[in-house]
Amino acid sequence: NQLRSGTYRDTIRSVWREKIGIASPFVVWPMLSEERLELALNCLPAEHLDLLFRRMLADLRQHRNGFPDLIRFTPEHPDSNRRYEMIEVKGPGDRLQDHQTRWLEYCVDNGIPVSVCYVRW
């Protein structure tokens, strides 16, 4: 409901301050500074957060894995739908796993910007 009403940002900030440093399988705390949190809040549309959270919560055991590796923020991008992009990284000899493909397809089907980056040496 907060995602729909637009009041979610203050809740997320409050929970971040309250929980920072507490072990979580979903958060790598050294990577989530307050500055990055603000960048995420400014770049990720509430509609996309809603879609991502709903998928995870529908079956956390199944959907917890396969989520793209990286997220790139482009706050200055003129197209508001491309202010971020999730990226799955694949190294030489690595291939997409089924659970990764399902996440990629879900994102594409729902207009969530996602790509695969194949790294070559």
Side-chain angles (χ1 to χ4, degrees), residues 65-80:
N65 295 318
F67 197 78
D69 298 313
L70 302 174
I71 187 165
R72 177 179 62 152
F73 297 114
T74 52
E76 306 299 324
H77 200 287
D79 179 357
S80 63

Side-chain angles (χ1 to χ4, degrees), residues 25-41:
F26 301 103
V27 181
V28 180
W29 289 110
M31 298 301 296
L32 188 59
S33 65
E34 192 165 9
E35 180 181 25
R36 282 200 183 114
L37 176 63
E38 287 302 319
L39 189 58
L41 289 173

